[in-house]
């Protein structure tokens, strides 16, 4: 059979999302907030541009340009970076709201039994629901991008081709991020008895991966790797015996005196090596835990895409490492990209399996 | 326009009737098997909700599937329509095994679940259109069919969303939903559960009409009166097993004397009654100043009583005999 059933389900789901009040309210909220921050971002950008022009005119006014002194032209992509923060919070809420009752509502209203009595495969239903949700997410983000684009034009800022491409990429990454939360909600909706339980489970998972994991991440890394190796310079000898502790009448605390032992070349080298290994290990564990956090992945990838040199500091600062090449960047964030793709797939797979085995009565 | 459609419908019905009659007259063995179950069993946590059920229902039959709450009626239907898989045994509809080819079966059946549900955020038309899209119908056909069905279940002109429907309206929409694909076989699980008397009456008319079109109809219910009014064959299920099967008459004859072996004759007169004596009389209860008697007897004594009273010049206002009702049959079978 062709995918007729699948598309029918997807079509209905898509329309359902777009006409649902909760979707519209949250989307509107999201759009208003992004428009406001967009506005601020544009102001900020114009200020910078002004300063940049001043600097340029100063430089060109002087004799000869000193290399390395070239001020950087501000990028309009910074404006979109502001959007990514809202996207990761409000977008997550939007996605969860869209998904948490997709299956439970059908169970509660008993429409699932009616639906299944018509010639349709079960997997067409769950796939269609996923597809409809994805389309609605694409729609939401598309609208957000179109509005921000319109605002840019309103302020007579015209992005170049490269910037357009990056904005489009940013849109794709945003969809992936929201898709992660949507698939979590879809999963809890297939697993739960009712919509109430489903939203609670979805929120628990959301809070766990976006608040709890980053919090315990550092702790876990320390527990696994242990204390950092001690520097040989500051070895503290055992405190000297204090024969007359009572004599100290001023209540002064007697501190053990640090005695510097002359540096041992070999010992120092060993320390350096140990230390490097330690921090490497620790940051690897840290990083691994952080790739479990969709928001981190999203911010890492989107800031990489949006930063001017394609490189990246996670949170944009005043300076960019101009030596960073695209290759380098990819090396750094491929894990995050992979996680953004794998997460939705895993949650969707769980939802799929559970739905296929669900007892329909 | 409206008139025209009704006319077309009537014509089609007549045609169906004609075709169907011709076929059964034409020597072809009446009652080719349409629904069949073989050793159908469903277990839930070791308990058999349906236990080795063997059923055969002929094409064109209206089959009443009777049983008390929890007997396994819904479970059986769910297996028949391919919604749940049997633990053992199989269902065959129109010579297609359901578990093997559920989609092919679903294409030719209609199913009205108990407590049928819809999408509350959509209108009846939108709901039906969504389901209709799973069949090979183009937009025009869908529109026509949906209009026809909404008129049939008298929900045409209701623009309200289904979320605001009463239970009876919901149930009627359920029937329309089951008829979308003009099915050969129709499964109705407690179709009158939420209907008012008027709704029940209309439902019976609709069933008759559908039967005239040659459809095989499988109706589950725990209300005997409901089934006896529309069904021509009946099966009684209790605790997952079939305990009786046949036409209404056969069942009455088979089980009629069980538990209520005696007849009751009720006589009402204008003058006070004399003592009536006969060897077959077991008991006689007089009431209303001897103007009414309820006699329990082993045989039909109406002729005897009537001539007795005539001789004694007592005018009869009413005399009737109560045979065991189907209700009695049903209860006596249930309780065995
Ligand atoms: N999901 C389930 N898990 C365990 N037992 C079940 C399940 N579904 C049904 N049963 C059992 O199967 C038996 C038959 O249930 P079924 O719904 O088929 O009865 P029914 O004849 O339709 O009753 P009613 O007239 O109340 O609709 C019942 O005893 C019920 O407890
Ligand atoms: Mg039932």
């Amino acid at each position: 059979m062709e995918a007729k059933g699948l598309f029918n389900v997807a079509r209905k789901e898509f329309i359902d999302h777009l006409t649902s009040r909760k979707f519209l309210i949250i989307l509107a909220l999201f759009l208003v907030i992004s428009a406001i921050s967009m506005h601020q971002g544009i102001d900020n950008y114009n200020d910078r541009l002004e300063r940049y022009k001043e600097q340029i005119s100063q430089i060109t006014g002087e004799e000869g340009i000193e290399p390395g002194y070239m001020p950087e032209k501000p990028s309009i992509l910074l404006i979109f970076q502001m959007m990514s923060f809202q996207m990761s919070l409000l977008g997550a809420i939007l996605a969860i709201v869209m998904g948490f009752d997709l299956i439970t509502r059908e169970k509660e209203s008993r429409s699932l039994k009616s639906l299944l009595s018509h010639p349709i495969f079960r997997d067409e239903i769950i796939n269609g629901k996923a597809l409809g949700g994805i389309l609605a997410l694409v729609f939401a983000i598309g609208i957000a991008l179109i509005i921000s684009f319109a605002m840019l034009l309103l302020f007579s800022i015209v992005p170049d081709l490269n910037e357009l491409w990056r904005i489009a990429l940013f849109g794709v990454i945003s969809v992936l991020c929201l898709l992660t939360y949507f698939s979590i909600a879809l999963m809890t909706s297939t697993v739960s008895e009712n919509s109430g339980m489903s939203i609670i489970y979805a929120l628990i998972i959301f809070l766990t991966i976006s608040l709890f994991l980053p919090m315990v991440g550092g702790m876990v890394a320390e527990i696994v790797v242990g204390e950092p190796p001690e520097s040989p310079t500051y070895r503290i000898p055992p405190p000297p015996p204090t024969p007359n502790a009572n004599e100290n009448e001023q209540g002064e605390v007697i501190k053990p005196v640090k005695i510097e032992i002359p540096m041992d070349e070999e010992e120092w080298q060993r320390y350096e090596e140990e230390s490097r290994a330690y921090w490497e290990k620790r940051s690897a564990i840290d990083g691994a835990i952080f790739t479990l956090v969709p928001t981190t992945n999203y911010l890492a990838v989107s800031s990489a895409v949006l930063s001017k040199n394609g490189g990246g500091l996670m949170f944009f600062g005043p300076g960019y490492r101009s030596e960073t090449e695209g290759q380098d960047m990819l090396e750094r964030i491929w894990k995050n990209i992979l996680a953004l793709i794998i997460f939705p797939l895993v949650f969707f797979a769980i939802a799929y399996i559970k739905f296929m085995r669900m007892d329909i009565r | 326009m409206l008139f025209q459609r009704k006319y077309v419908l009537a014509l089609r019905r007549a045609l169906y009737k004609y075709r169907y009659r011709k076929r059964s007259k034409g020597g072809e063995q009446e009652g080719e098997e349409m629904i069949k179950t073989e050793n159908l069993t469903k277990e839930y946590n070791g308990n058999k909700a349906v236990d080795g059920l063997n059923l055969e229902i002929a094409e064109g039959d209206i089959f009443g599937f009777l049983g008390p709450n929890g007997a396994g009626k819904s479970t059986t239907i769910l297996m028949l329509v391919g919604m749940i898989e049997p633990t053992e045994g199989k269902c065959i509809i129109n010579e297609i095994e359901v578990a093997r080819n559920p989609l092919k079966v679903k294409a030719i059946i209609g199913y009205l679940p108990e407590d049928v549900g819809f999408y509350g955020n959509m209108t009846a038309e939108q709901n039906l259109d969504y389901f209709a899209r799973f069949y090979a119908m183009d937009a025009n056909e869908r529109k026509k069919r949906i209009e026809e069905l909404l008129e049939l279940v008298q929900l045409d002109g209701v623009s309200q969303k289904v979320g605001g429907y009463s239970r009876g309206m919901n149930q009627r929409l359920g029937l329309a939903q089951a008829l979308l694909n003009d099915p050969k076989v129709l499964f109705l699980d407690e179709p009158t559960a939420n209907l008012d008397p008027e709704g029940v009456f209309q439902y019976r008319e609709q069933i008759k009409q559908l039967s005239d079109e040659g459809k095989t109809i499988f109706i589950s219910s725990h209300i005997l009166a409901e089934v006896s009014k529309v069904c021509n064959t009946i099966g009684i299920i209790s605790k997952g097993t079939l305990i009786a099967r046949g036409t209404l008459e056969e069942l009455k004859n088979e089980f009629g004397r069980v538990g209520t072996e005696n007849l009751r004759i009720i006589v009402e007169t204008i003058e006070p009654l004399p003592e009536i004596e006969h060897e077959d009389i077991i008991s006689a209860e007089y009431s209303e100043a001897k103007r009414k008697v309820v006699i329990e007897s082993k045989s039909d004594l109406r002729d005897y009583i009537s001539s007795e009273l005539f001789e004694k010049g007592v005018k009869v206002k009413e005399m009737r005999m109560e045979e065991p009702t189907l209700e009695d049959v049903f209860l006596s079978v249930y309780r065995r």
Side-chain angles (χ1 to χ4, degrees):
Chain A
M1 201 177 131
E2 359 63 282
K4 201 177 105 191
L6 171 75
F7 289 128
N8 188 21
V9 175
R11 179 188 139 276
K12 184 239 168 207
E13 289 294 322
F14 180 67
I15 295 172
D16 263 7
H17 285 309
L18 294 203
T19 52
S20 114
R21 196 171 306 157
K22 46 187 194 178
F23 177 86
L24 292 176
I25 289 174
I26 296 176
L27 181 62
L29 195 64
F30 173 68
L31 292 179
V32 168
I33 290 177
S34 347
I36 292 170
S37 78
M38 194 78 195
H39 189 253
Q40 289 166 348
I42 289 173
D43 276 353
N44 185 296
Y45 166 81
N46 281 338
D47 285 351
R48 281 181 194 222
L49 197 65
E50 212 56 29
R51 240 177 302 145
Y52 165 76
K53 278 177 185 159
E54 265 170 42
Q55 281 173 325
I56 289 286
S57 64
Q58 274 169 15
I59 288 167
T60 43
E62 286 166 19
E63 293 281 296
I65 302 154
E66 271 183 68
Y69 236 74
M70 188 70 188
E72 265 183 289
K73 186 172 185 280
S75 164
I76 58 154
L77 294 171
L78 291 185
I79 300 166
F80 284 89
Q81 221 154 20
M82 290 192 131
M83 233 171 104
S84 67
F85 290 101
Q86 281 122 36
M87 197 80 93
S88 62
L89 179 64
L90 265 171
I93 292 172
L94 180 70
I96 287 174
V97 161
M98 279 168 63
F100 83 94
D101 64 349
L102 283 186
I103 305 296
T104 44
R105 189 153 37 101
E106 293 240 16
K107 278 196 271 189
E108 281 156 0
S109 72
R110 296 168 192 276
S111 50
L112 188 57
K113 216 155 59 162
S114 305
L115 175 60
L116 269 170
S117 75
H118 299 286
I120 178 172
F121 288 111
R122 259 198 208 196
D123 57 351
E124 287 180 310
I125 296 177
I126 186 86
N127 291 340
K129 279 183 182 283
L131 182 59
I134 293 170
L135 292 178
L137 287 177
V138 169
F139 174 86
I141 290 190
I143 291 273
L145 288 186
I146 286 172
I147 288 182
S148 34
F149 198 71
M151 280 181 74
L152 284 184
L153 296 184
L154 216 66
F155 285 84
S156 340
I157 301 169
V158 183
D160 63 27
L161 213 64
N162 178 272
E163 285 165 335
L164 274 181
W165 164 241
R166 280 155 184 263
I167 292 170
L169 262 183
F170 169 67
V172 172
I173 294 158
S174 303
V175 169
L176 279 179
C177 174
L178 298 205
L179 198 51
T180 309
Y181 292 110
F182 176 72
S183 64
I184 287 171
L186 183 62
M187 178 195 75
T188 61
S189 163
T190 38
V191 174
S192 311
E193 273 303 304
N194 56 54
S195 303
M197 285 318 289
S198 174
I199 186 111
I200 287 170
Y201 288 144
L203 285 179
I204 288 174
I205 295 176
F206 171 61
L207 293 178
T208 304
I209 59 179
S210 60
L211 282 182
F212 185 69
L213 267 188
M215 247 160 83
V216 297
M219 280 172 5
V220 170
E222 199 171 320
I223 288 166
V224 172
V225 191
E227 295 274 316
E230 230 171 71
S231 146
T233 332
Y234 294 105
R235 221 178 311 136
I236 298 158
T242 47
N244 303 327
N246 299 354
E247 273 177 38
N248 197 333
E249 280 153 26
Q250 271 100 22
E252 275 173 25
V253 184
I254 300 166
K255 285 176 191 163
V257 187
K258 280 178 203 164
I259 301 163
E260 278 198 29
I261 295 168
M263 277 199 308
D264 183 334
E265 208 34 57
E266 215 173 284
E267 208 177 348
W268 182 249
Q269 223 166 3
R270 204 175 55 229
Y271 163 73
E272 272 197 327
E273 226 152 81
E274 270 176 18
S275 183
R276 190 158 39 84
Y278 171 84
W279 287 108
E280 255 171 29
K281 220 163 147 191
R282 189 161 164 169
S283 79
I285 292 175
D286 242 13
I289 290 171
F290 267 97
T291 45
L292 292 179
V293 184
T295 311
T296 314
N297 295 324
Y298 172 62
L299 292 180
V301 178
S302 66
S303 70
V305 166
L306 292 177
S307 60
K308 200 176 176 201
N309 298 306
L313 300 176
M314 215 179 89
F315 302 106
F316 59 95
Y320 293 90
R321 276 189 263 168
S322 50
E323 79 272 14
T324 345
E325 295 293 324
Q327 195 73 23
D328 201 21
M329 169 194 88
L330 204 64
E331 223 159 77
R332 213 164 327 125
I333 60 164
W334 71 268
K335 277 187 197 140
N336 304 102
I337 297 176
L338 202 65
L340 276 178
I341 296 169
I342 285 178
F343 259 96
L345 285 179
V346 167
F347 287 118
F348 180 70
I350 297 171
Y352 181 90
I353 291 166
K354 186 75 185 126
F355 184 75
M356 293 303 280
R357 295 184 177 175
M358 200 166 79
D359 191 29
I360 309 283
R361 270 202 73 109
Chain B
M1 181 64 187
L2 201 87
F3 174 78
Q4 222 176 9
R5 194 161 51 236
K6 273 192 173 143
Y7 178 72
V8 170
L9 264 173
L11 195 73
R12 214 176 66 181
R13 217 176 303 147
L15 228 120
Y16 258 113
K17 248 181 188 168
Y18 173 71
R19 235 192 285 164
Y20 186 61
R21 201 174 297 144
K22 198 173 139 200
R23 198 171 54 193
S24 41
K25 263 189 201 160
E28 206 178 315
Q29 201 186 359
E30 208 214 355
E32 263 177 278
E33 244 159 50
M34 186 49 104
I35 304 170
K36 191 174 171 192
T37 71
E38 286 173 13
N39 188 33
L40 190 63
T41 305
K42 180 72 186 179
E43 260 183 45
Y44 282 113
N45 324 316
N47 296 325
K48 286 180 175 166
V50 176
D51 190 359
L53 191 71
N54 289 302
L55 258 183
E56 281 176 21
I57 296 157
E59 182 171 5
D61 269 2
I62 309 180
F63 177 74
F65 197 42
L66 273 171
N69 291 137
K73 303 181 297 287
S74 298
T75 309
T76 305
I77 293 186
L78 283 167
M79 287 188 282
L80 279 165
V81 300
M83 209 72 89
I84 56 178
E85 293 206 2
T87 314
E88 246 178 81
K90 55 185 171 182
C91 308
I92 296 154
I93 293 177
N94 200 30
E95 292 172 355
I96 310 166
E97 193 185 331
V98 179
R100 288 252 174 92
N101 216 333
L103 245 58
K104 226 168 142 188
V105 169
K106 282 174 187 177
I108 58 157
I109 65 171
Y111 168 48
L112 168 63
E114 59 180 343
D115 286 327
V116 59
F118 294 97
Y119 300 100
N121 59 333
M122 306 198 296
T123 63
E125 260 162 303
Q126 288 167 335
N127 268 286
L128 291 183
D129 188 64
Y130 179 41
F131 294 146
R133 280 169 188 266
F134 294 111
Y135 300 96
M137 283 192 246
D138 65 29
N140 272 335
E141 283 173 292
R142 283 204 305 271
K143 192 162 181 290
K144 227 181 96 217
R145 182 79 188 140
I146 289 167
E147 255 174 46
E148 229 172 73
L149 288 172
L150 286 179
E151 201 184 306
L152 177 79
V153 298
Q154 304 193 316
L155 286 172
D156 48 336
V158 180
S159 54
Q160 200 180 358
K161 294 202 167 144
V162 174
Y165 271 21
S166 73
R167 276 149 64 89
M169 287 161 87
N170 210 55
Q171 190 82 15
R172 299 211 300 267
L173 183 57
L175 183 64
Q177 169 268 146
L179 292 172
L180 269 173
N181 54 335
D182 196 11
K184 270 174 100 105
V185 187
L186 198 53
F187 291 93
L188 310 174
D189 199 349
E190 312 218 6
T192 54
N194 297 312
L195 299 181
D196 60 12
E198 171 68 11
V200 172
F201 174 78
Q202 278 159 4
Y203 146 82
R204 283 191 201 125
E205 294 297 303
Q206 287 152 7
I207 295 299
K208 273 173 205 150
Q209 186 185 317
L210 292 166
S211 174
D212 286 345
E213 288 174 16
K215 295 189 197 313
T216 310
I217 306 174
F218 186 117
I219 302 171
S220 99
S221 175
H222 50 88
I223 307 161
L224 177 87
E226 197 37 67
V227 162
S228 62
K229 285 231 170 60
V230 287
C231 298
N232 48 27
T233 68
I234 286 178
I236 300 179
I237 184 177
S238 173
K239 294 184 188 130
T241 45
L242 198 68
I243 51 174
R245 171 84 174 88
T247 63
L248 270 181
E249 282 310 305
E250 285 166 359
L251 283 188
K252 231 197 267 190
N253 290 337
E254 191 176 338
F255 295 100
R257 300 288 175 261
V258 181
T260 44
E261 303 224 329
N262 304 322
L263 300 171
R264 282 172 9 133
I265 300 163
I266 295 132
V267 187
E268 282 180 65
T269 54
I270 292 166
E271 291 86 14
L273 279 154
E275 289 285 328
I276 300 165
E277 277 169 14
H278 191 276
E279 55 182 3
D280 279 358
I281 291 179
I282 294 161
S283 70
E285 261 178 59
Y286 293 88
S287 60
E288 288 169 33
K290 288 206 119 188
R291 282 180 175 83
K292 179 175 179 182
V293 65
V294 178
I295 297 169
E296 249 185 82
S297 83
K298 288 178 188 159
S299 61
D300 184 358
L301 298 177
R302 280 177 299 181
D303 290 357
Y304 170 76
I305 294 170
S306 151
S307 45
E308 269 306 88
L309 293 178
F310 183 74
E311 252 170 45
K312 301 204 164 125
V314 176
K315 293 194 214 65
V316 175
K317 194 156 78 182
E318 186 185 352
M319 174 153 72
R320 65 177 196 272
M321 184 173 72
E322 278 184 358
E323 281 182 284
T325 60
L326 267 173
E327 215 69 50
D328 296 329
V329 175
F330 195 48
L331 283 175
S332 73
V333 172
Y334 266 14
R335 285 173 183 158
R336 283 203 302 177

